[in-house]
């Protein structure tokens, strides 16, 4: 962790004691009651919005009553969402909001071809549930984009560890809605150790899987006849893979390219485990193989930057180099079209479809869905891929995925039907928590005109500890941005932030301060007033929000 923390940490500690005495989250309804009443709303059920206004009663995190004639219960908190639209909250089938556990292998690896499992990236025994109990994690960004549940996973190595299906609340006691967990397989080499190639990863996975099968079989024999049977040899990794061999866990295989789809299908057919293809990118020509193997797919919620179709001018003379560039652009265009059309192709082939946030917070999910709808997906299919389908994949469809009495209060509320251009999420209900989101004011002097944020900016932050200053470097990164922060006191010490979103000239980013046992989530908002000026704020966990202003120093050449 960089020393940039000192820019923010000093004054936080000065006011820590006072703030802890009276923390109030004004974006949440106070818990004076565990019963909520949603009055006169349109409810999305059975693939469509109700034509009549409806009421809902939520009690202790569960939907108790739905209907036009349902009355307000005594003592209930009435939620002010009149004439708005209620949908099931979205379900993400795989995300990485917590950094992976790093292997703390101190011993020198004597044989690179036979490293310890942790060095090789083989840690299926790790439990995300244990990490969630101890680590501070902020799910508000995911919630504000409509997500109420996420399958949270590590992201290091070929077998990072057990996932956890998590209710995205601020209350750790409500995180765990099911004991079901799954495993992740990635075609990631160990970098200098075996397995360090994709072929090696496949071979190692086969070996581990078969050893887990043998261990399970031998363990049964040993337990039934311990005097004669030999105690099976094992390891933590092999034991952790036994539920996978019994189809008690699903393997979420992150493929990320077409060739890896074939590799995943090959492994699944050979070994017989239950699997989901994550971020398959392109399935054209593989539909029958995927369907035959009964493999659902989970698409990334974020599309790459749009690629325009290259046009060849019939009146121009092209050199060989020019033609090579045109061919490259044509391949890039076809790859982008494959990403757009993959959802509709999956539905045509009756392949179950869901979405995975992976390394982002879902800020582009609506944009992604609208682009895929242009490619042939229907609105109902798009919503199913965020609600009904992932609930079935994660085996929690008895709890969530639809709005029915007896199911969990896992809802989003929008001011207009979700796919309308100007619709905004105004509320998210997860368990017993109600989170509200007000419309952000646009202060841009050039209203409606997109401002290019890329370049180097200087900023000053007004804090109770005085004014702090630093630099912000904003660079384009695919379809998103990378932001580098530094303080003037130590300009060589930087923090690189990739969790960035930009909409209507307002950039939002977040990172975490860690100093010993102290940690706090930092949320920064940058409002680009014009090409040379920005204003904004920095929110430090629950300790307050402070104003920021800045000006542009330079643009990229």
């Amino acid at each position: 962790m960089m020393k940039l923390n000192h820019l923010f940490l000093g004054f936080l500690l000065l006011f820590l004691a006072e703030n802890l005495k009276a923390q109030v989250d004004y974006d949440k309804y106070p818990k004076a009651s565990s019963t909520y009443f949603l009055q006169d709303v349109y409810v999305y059920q059975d693939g469509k919005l109700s034509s009549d206004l409806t009421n809902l009663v939520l009690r202790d995190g569960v939907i108790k009553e739905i209907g036009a004639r349902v009355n307000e219960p005594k003592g209930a908190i009435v939620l002010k969402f009149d004439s708005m639209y209620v949908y099931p909250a979205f379900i993400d089938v795989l995300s990485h909001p917590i950094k992976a556990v790093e292997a703390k292998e101190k011993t020198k690896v004597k044989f690179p071809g036979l490293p310890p499992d942790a060095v090789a990236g083989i840690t299926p025994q790790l439990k995300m549930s244990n990490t969630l109990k101890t680590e501070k994690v902020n799910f508000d960004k995911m919630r504000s984009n409509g997500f109420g549940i996420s399958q949270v996973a590590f992201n290091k190595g070929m077998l990072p560890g057990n996932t956890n299906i998590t209710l995205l609340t601020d209350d750790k006691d409500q995180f765990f809605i099911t004991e079901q967990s799954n495993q992740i397989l990635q075609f990631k080499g160990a970098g200098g150790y075996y397995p360090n190639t994709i072929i090696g990863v496949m071979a190692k996975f086969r070996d581990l899987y078969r050893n887990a099968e043998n261990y399970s079989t031998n363990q049964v024999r040993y337990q039934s006849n311990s005097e004669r049977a030999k105690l099976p040899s094992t390891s933590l990794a092999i034991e952790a893979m036994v539920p996978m061999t019994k189809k008690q866990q699903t393997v979420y295989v992150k493929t990320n390219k077409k060739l890896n789809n074939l590799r995943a299908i090959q492994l699944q057919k050979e070994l017989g485990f239950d699997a989901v293809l994550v971020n398959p990118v392109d399935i054209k020509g593989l539909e029958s193989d995927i369907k035959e193997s009964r493999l659902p797919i989970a698409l990334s919620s974020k599309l790459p930057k749009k690629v325009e179709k290259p046009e060849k001018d019939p009146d121009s003379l092209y050199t060989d180099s020019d033609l090579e560039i045109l061919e490259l652009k044509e391949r890039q265009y076809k790859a982008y079209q494959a990403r757009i059309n993959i959802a509709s192709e999956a539905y045509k082939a009756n392949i179950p479809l869901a979405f995975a946030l992976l390394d982002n917070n879902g800020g582009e999910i609506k944009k992604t869905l609208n682009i895929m709808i242009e490619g042939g997906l229907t609105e109902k299919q798009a919503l199913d891929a965020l609600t009904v389908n992932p609930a079935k994949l994660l085996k929690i469809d008895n709890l969530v995925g639809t709005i029915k009495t007896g199911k969990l209060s896992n809802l989003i509320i929008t001011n207009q039907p979700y796919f309308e251009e100007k619709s905004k999420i105004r509320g998210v209900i997860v368990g017993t928590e109600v989170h509200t989101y007000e419309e952000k004011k646009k202060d841009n002097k050039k209203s409606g005109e997109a401002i290019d944020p890329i370049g180097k900016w200087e900023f000053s932050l007004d804090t109770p500890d005085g004014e702090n200053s630093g630099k912000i470097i904003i660079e384009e990164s695919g379809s998103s941005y990378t932001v580098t922060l530094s303080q003037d006191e130590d300009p060589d010490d930087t923090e690189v932030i990739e969790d960035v979103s930009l909409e209507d000239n307002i950039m939002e980013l977040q990172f975490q301060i860690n100093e010993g046992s102290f940690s706090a989530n930092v949320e920064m908002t940058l409002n680009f007033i014009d090409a040379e000026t920005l204003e904004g704020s920095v929110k430090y966990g629950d300790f307050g929000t402070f104003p920021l202003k800045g000006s542009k120093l330079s643009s990229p050449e």
Side-chain angles (χ1 to χ4, degrees):
M1 175 59 64
M2 59 165 296
K3 294 177 183 177
L4 181 64
N5 286 345
H6 297 290
L7 176 64
F8 307 105
L9 185 61
F11 76 90
L12 279 181
L13 296 178
L14 289 175
F15 293 91
L16 179 60
E18 181 179 348
N19 278 279
L20 285 175
K21 291 177 185 176
Q23 291 182 20
V24 180
D25 186 347
Y26 293 104
D27 291 332
K28 278 194 236 173
Y29 279 79
K31 290 187 179 178
S33 169
S34 61
T35 302
Y36 296 101
F37 186 58
L38 270 166
Q39 186 174 24
D40 291 340
V41 292
Y42 298 98
V43 178
Y44 185 84
Q45 290 180 297
D46 301 321
K48 60 184 179 181
L49 285 164
S50 61
S51 56
D52 298 322
L53 292 169
T54 305
N55 303 332
L56 292 90
V57 174
L58 316 175
R59 184 179 295 114
D60 298 327
V62 176
I63 301 170
K64 289 297 184 181
E65 294 182 81
I66 307 171
R69 297 184 179 180
V70 170
N71 295 319
E72 175 187 338
K74 185 178 180 180
I77 297 172
V78 179
L79 304 179
K80 303 298 183 181
F81 295 119
D82 296 8
S83 299
M84 293 194 187
Y85 301 81
V86 180
Y87 296 85
F90 302 154
I91 302 169
D92 155 58
V93 299
L94 189 64
S95 68
H96 308 296
I98 298 176
K99 289 185 178 180
V101 174
E102 298 290 334
K104 303 295 183 182
E105 189 63 44
K106 302 282 186 182
T107 309
K108 185 177 179 181
V109 178
K110 189 173 182 180
F111 301 107
L114 193 63
D117 284 344
V119 174
I122 300 168
T123 54
Q125 73 276 8
L126 291 181
K127 295 184 181 295
M128 176 55 75
S129 58
N130 293 340
T131 301
L132 285 170
K133 290 174 184 176
T134 58
E135 293 291 322
K136 186 169 183 178
V137 58
N138 188 344
F139 292 125
D140 192 57
K141 288 288 184 181
M142 295 164 72
R143 280 196 304 259
S144 68
N145 293 315
F147 288 86
I149 290 173
S150 174
Q151 179 172 218
V152 180
F154 297 117
N155 192 29
K156 181 179 173 62
M158 63 172 279
L159 287 165
N162 279 269
T163 67
N164 190 86
I165 300 167
T166 307
L167 191 66
L168 302 183
T169 72
D170 290 334
D171 180 2
K172 287 181 182 287
D173 291 336
Q174 294 189 62
F175 278 179
F176 311 106
I177 60 172
T178 175
E179 294 182 0
Q180 175 67 34
S181 66
N182 298 299
Q183 292 281 351
I184 310 299
L185 171 62
Q186 306 185 103
F187 293 110
K188 279 185 178 181
Y193 302 101
Y194 179 79
N196 60 355
T197 65
I198 292 177
I199 300 301
V201 167
M202 294 176 69
K204 185 65 176 178
F205 182 80
R206 288 189 187 97
D207 183 54
L208 289 165
Y209 190 92
R210 286 169 178 151
N211 282 338
E213 285 182 317
N214 291 335
Y215 169 74
S216 180
T217 301
N218 291 337
Q219 189 181 43
V220 172
R221 290 174 180 170
Y222 179 80
Q223 289 172 347
S224 62
N225 191 357
S226 60
E227 293 183 0
R228 297 182 182 180
K230 183 180 178 182
L231 182 68
S233 59
T234 185
S235 69
L236 291 176
I238 289 172
E239 289 182 27
M241 290 181 65
V242 169
M244 184 192 306
T245 67
K246 295 180 176 181
K247 296 191 176 184
Q248 295 168 351
Q249 287 187 319
T250 299
V251 184
Y252 283 72
V253 189
K254 293 172 68 176
T255 56
N256 302 328
K257 59 183 179 181
K258 192 169 185 177
L259 184 56
N260 285 345
N261 294 338
L262 288 168
R263 290 165 172 151
I265 292 169
Q266 179 184 342
L267 281 175
Q268 190 276 335
K269 283 184 176 180
E270 181 181 337
L271 301 174
F273 54 89
D274 287 340
V276 175
L277 300 183
V278 180
N279 195 24
V281 180
D282 183 1
I283 64 168
K284 198 166 184 63
L286 300 177
E287 295 93 337
S288 59
D289 291 317
I290 294 173
K291 187 176 179 180
E292 181 185 343
S293 300
R294 298 180 179 178
L295 293 176
I297 64 174
L299 305 181
S300 171
S301 64
K302 188 175 182 180
L303 288 171
K305 189 175 181 180
K306 184 176 181 180
V307 178
E308 300 289 349
K309 182 177 177 61
E311 299 292 342
K312 187 175 180 181
D313 186 352
D315 298 325
S316 297
L317 294 175
Y318 290 92
T319 65
D320 289 344
S321 178
D322 292 334
L323 291 173
E324 287 180 3
I325 292 173
L326 276 173
E327 289 176 3
L328 174 61
K329 290 182 177 179
E330 182 66 30
R331 289 197 298 272
Q332 291 173 336
Y333 172 74
K334 288 181 178 178
Y336 178 73
Q337 289 300 308
R339 293 288 293 272
I340 291 174
N341 298 328
I342 188 171
S344 58
E345 288 171 358
Y347 267 104
K348 288 175 186 175
N350 292 318
I351 297 170
L353 174 69
F355 281 91
L357 293 183
L358 301 176
D359 295 311
N360 70 85
N361 56 40
E364 295 195 23
I365 185 63
K366 185 178 175 183
K367 177 182 176 183
T368 296
L369 293 177
N370 281 325
I371 291 173
M372 289 183 169
I373 287 170
E374 291 176 7
L377 196 68
T378 68
E379 290 185 3
K380 179 184 181 301
Q381 289 168 346
L383 287 173
D384 282 351
L386 286 167
T387 56
V388 178
N389 296 354
K392 290 178 180 178
L393 287 184
L394 297 175
K395 299 176 183 177
I396 53 173
D397 50 311
N398 61 317
L399 299 173
V400 292
T402 56
I403 301 178
K404 292 182 178 179
T405 55
K407 290 200 171 185
L408 295 183
S409 305
N410 193 52
L411 309 169
I412 63 172
I413 300 100
T414 61
N415 61 340
Q416 296 180 23
Y418 180 73
F419 289 105
E420 294 289 326
E421 183 180 353
K422 294 183 179 180
S423 75
K424 300 290 181 184
I425 292 174
R426 290 287 174 256
V428 177
I429 302 173
V430 282
T432 60
E433 294 180 359
V434 179
H435 300 263
T436 60
Y437 302 95
E438 297 300 324
E439 186 170 10
K440 292 173 183 155
K441 296 179 181 178
K442 298 179 186 178
D443 298 325
N444 310 94
K445 292 178 180 177
K446 298 181 180 180
S447 179
E449 181 179 334
I451 297 169
D452 185 3
I454 296 174
K456 186 174 184 179
W457 300 73
E458 61 180 354
F459 73 90
S460 62
L461 183 66
D462 188 12
T463 76
D465 197 32
E467 186 175 280
N468 290 283
S469 61
K471 302 293 185 294
I472 303 172
I473 298 176
I474 303 174
E475 300 172 289
E476 191 172 21
S477 176
S479 61
S480 186
Y481 299 88
T482 298
V483 175
T484 303
L485 294 176
S486 64
Q487 57 174 328
D488 289 342
E489 182 182 331
D490 189 358
D492 294 328
D493 198 13
T494 60
E495 174 85 33
V496 178
I497 302 160
E498 296 180 342
D499 189 2
V500 178
S501 65
L502 178 67
E503 184 178 356
D504 297 328
N505 296 325
I506 297 174
M507 179 173 283
E508 296 182 334
L509 49 147
Q510 63 178 2
F511 58 97
Q512 193 172 62
I513 293 173
N514 290 301
E515 188 76 15
S517 61
F518 175 83
S519 68
N521 289 301
V522 179
E523 298 177 18
M524 181 179 287
T525 300
L526 305 177
N527 184 9
F528 298 96
I529 304 302
D530 54 40
E532 304 296 329
T533 312
L534 67 81
E535 294 178 357
S537 63
V538 180
K539 180 182 178 183
Y540 304 92
D542 297 323
F543 306 118
T545 301
F546 306 94
L548 173 149
K549 59 184 178 181
S551 58
K552 199 167 196 177
L553 294 174
S554 62
S555 298
E557 297 180 359

